Amino acid sequence: MTQTTADTELRYHDLGRLIALMTGAEKHGPAATSTLDVLWVLYDRVLRVGPGSVDDMGRDRFLLSKGHGPMAYYAILAAKGYFPVEWLSGFGGFDSPLGHHPDRTLIPGVEIGSGSLGHGLPLAVGTTLGLRAQGLDDPAVWVLIGDAELDEGSNHEALAYAGSAGLERLHTVVIDNDSATHGWPGGIASRFEAAGWSATTVDGRDHAALYAAFTAPHPGRPHAVVARVEKKL
């Protein structure tokens, strides 16, 4: 579902140039680049949503919980035509809709305001339950979290509930760059599996591996993909 801007198709290799348009002291560069490949594969090949369907009740929902350092997210939304590329150069400015944390009221296609650790997965559980209550069983709900967010108790409550409730339409991607304080014996995937999830760990820079993990069947269970990337420096 690749969009065009000024009749030029924007692809993965353009993302570095788009990110470079965003400047300032609050960039949180490692937080952005750690998510780049996961976000690209999701928006390019997996999510059933586009600029023309951001209000469609049947759309897939993507929730960025890892909302600090959102430059990769903004670059991909611009590349896919959700908003003009020209917005990127105003990143973090007083009059810019592109703040240091995403704002769902200002940016087309953004589902939640985010940045505070631990909020995204509980919101994704609630979104999945809300869709189920409305009889909307087809839309998938995706949430991207950082491994450090698993230090927050709210996430453990959410993943425990989701597993026991069999929320099959819920998908979580964990960016694992060894930034968590506590970690988990046996690895992050084992934490999800113990709560009744389907879970797998892949190279977070390998697009083919990410796509295979994102599209793997998981009947009757929510699904977690742990995307390993280089350590945060």
Side-chain angles (χ1 to χ4, degrees), residues 129-153:
L129 290 171
L131 291 169
R132 175 190 282 184
Q134 296 174 80
L136 296 169
D137 298 322
D138 192 43
V141 177
W142 289 82
V143 58
L144 190 153
I145 70 175
D147 60 331
E149 293 190 73
L150 292 175
D151 291 341
E152 304 288 338

Side-chain angles (χ1 to χ4, degrees), residues 205-231:
R205 301 302 186 190
D206 185 330
H207 291 196
L210 287 168
Y211 179 74
F214 292 161
T215 57
H218 50 96
R221 296 187 291 168
H223 185 51
V225 176
V226 180
R228 290 279 301 161
V229 298
E230 61 277 3
K231 290 185 179 182

